[in-house]
Amino acid sequence: MRFIETRGNDGIKPKEVTFSEAILNPGASFGGLYVPKELPKFDESFFNKHLDSSYKELAFDILKSFKIDIDDELIKKALNLYDRFDNPNDPVPVKKVEENLYISELYHGPTRAFKDMALQPFGYILSSLAKQQNQNYLILAATSGDTGPATLETFKNKENIKVACIYPDGGTSDVQRLQMVTEDGKNLKVIGIVGDFDDAQSALKNLLNSKKFQEKLNEKDIKLSASNSVNFGRIIFQTIYHFHSYLELIRRGEIEIGDEVNLIVPSGNFGNALGGYYAKKMGLFVKKILIASNENNILTDLIKYGRYDLRDRKLKKTTSPAMDILKSSNVERVLFDKFGSKRTKELMDSLNEKNFYELSKEELKEIQKDFDADFTTDEEIKKYIKEFFENRNYLMDPHTATAIKLYEEKKDEKNIAYSTAEWTKFAPTVLNALKGDNKKYSDLEALTNIEKIGNVKIPLVIEELFNKPIIHDLVIEKDEIEKEILKFLDK
Ligand SMILES: *Cc1c(COP(=O)(O)O)cnc(C)c1O
């Protein structure tokens, strides 16, 4: 399968690339993204075939159907990383919480958030390719809190790879920060910046596109890649669990093959939702993909009204920080899929130059065929956490709670909602919700409190964080990032 560019070709970069080229060098012409030229298509027989498959068997078949230029052996080894999840035989448990609400838990990997679903196997594939080519790579990651830990964890001590991870200082939870600043691999650099996630992500995109930075890397014989969901290597793994969750419902007799379900996705950079959209196009029986946001509800405006308008917006800090994003990168891949590269470039140019774009009425209708959206305030998030804990004995994190509102709007349809993080990553908010107070708890205090009230266990990987030495204590201004990264590469 070949990959093409969302904003068309600039005459310099190749018009089409292979999967391995697209993941090693994810920046396409005009600042665009790589997308598959076509998608595999599955019919009912695919679902029948996989009724008894393990997660890994299903994943292998889906990856193979993309006809990627990766050896079977390597794919299999990459998928073996799901053995690191809590239950290797069931890495993505799907829980029935109410009659029409199934929660698919994507957070049972080593860093306790859904980023591990893709980054564990992706990191293995990328570093194996680098080693095969005997080429050194710098992986840049901008994080709102979960991509960072998952990227560091997957690339730690890998040959031929160095990682520079940029996070917004004060924009993550304590646990998320500790997961990054206590990582001790020699090939890792963690940098806090003064600013928010959008600042971190723009700094990353600037570096990816900077000729000067590129030249300096060339001198050192280092190539540049990225682990954010701009990299298609993440998206491909994020199509799989949508099929898995649906198959789980069939296996338990909750639905029959062909019955339509909604996928409810707590969204930020839109990578998870994009995986759902591609799954739908590949033949998964999805009615709508419901995009859940927090008060940074730019995606709600886009999907309800066709406007992407950053002009009067400032990023708000919410209790679901992994979704505190206004520039949602993967929307571009949907625009391309629906409207082609010429229109996508026009819209993205408008966003860059005017901080704004608007879809036509017909275009909006086209988007609404597949998507619906709504957002949840911090107060509502706390309400849902409390309500579901008390009435359903289900403990969820603040990101997952944003999905509940959309479920309530579609209670008479079957809904698969995604749980994107474990409660342990955002314990102070969860404790505030359970107790109905607004006290400022430390993460550690909140964790131990919830463990008692909730009769739940804190996993060792979280507990340990509080006793590890801090390795990375650098916090700098945005314009110092390049200098710091170059310094790190010279070490
Ligand atoms: C990354 C993340 C999200 C947003 O996912 P996208 O694919 O960026 O839309 C939601 N919740 C949590 C906990 C996350 O880590």
Side-chain angles (χ1 to χ4, degrees), residues 113-115 146 266-272 322-323 399 420-421:
F114 100 94
K115 303 299 191 287
D146 287 329
S267 294
N269 231 354
F270 213 76
N272 195 353
M323 292 157 61
H399 301 79
T420 49

Side-chain angles (χ1 to χ4, degrees), residues 112-115 144-147 176 229 234-235 238 241 265-274 299 320-323 325 328 330 397 399-400 402 419-422 425-426:
R112 318 314 287 168
F114 100 94
K115 303 299 191 287
S144 58
D146 287 329
T147 293
Q176 290 175 315
S229 52
R234 278 192 44 193
I235 303 299
Q238 292 175 189
Y241 49 73
V265 188
S267 294
N269 231 354
F270 213 76
N272 195 353
L274 180 74
L299 293 169
S320 46
M323 292 157 61
I325 296 177
S328 181
N330 278 299
D397 99 294
H399 301 79
T400 309
T402 64
S419 180
T420 49
E422 186 174 59
K425 290 195 97 164
F426 308 96

Side-chain angles (χ1 to χ4, degrees), residues 170-187:
T172 71
S173 76
D174 279 352
V175 165
Q176 290 175 315
R177 186 177 50 81
L178 287 173
Q179 284 180 319
M180 294 186 273
V181 299
T182 63
E183 271 288 12
D184 58 358
K186 277 205 173 51
N187 61 334

Side-chain angles (χ1 to χ4, degrees), residues 105-124:
E105 296 177 348
L106 302 175
Y107 61 74
H108 291 274
T111 71
R112 318 314 287 168
F114 100 94
K115 303 299 191 287
D116 290 327
M117 291 304 307
L119 278 165
Q120 280 291 313
F122 167 78
Y124 188 85

Side-chain angles (χ1 to χ4, degrees), residues 144 146 171 176 266-268 292-296 316-325 376-378 381 397-402 420 426 429:
S144 58
D146 287 329
Q176 290 175 315
S267 294
S293 296
N294 63 24
E295 288 171 63
N296 294 295
K316 284 188 196 157
K317 269 193 192 184
T318 73
T319 55
S320 46
M323 292 157 61
D324 287 348
I325 296 177
T376 307
T377 64
D378 276 354
I381 284 175
D397 99 294
H399 301 79
T400 309
T402 64
T420 49
F426 308 96
T429 303

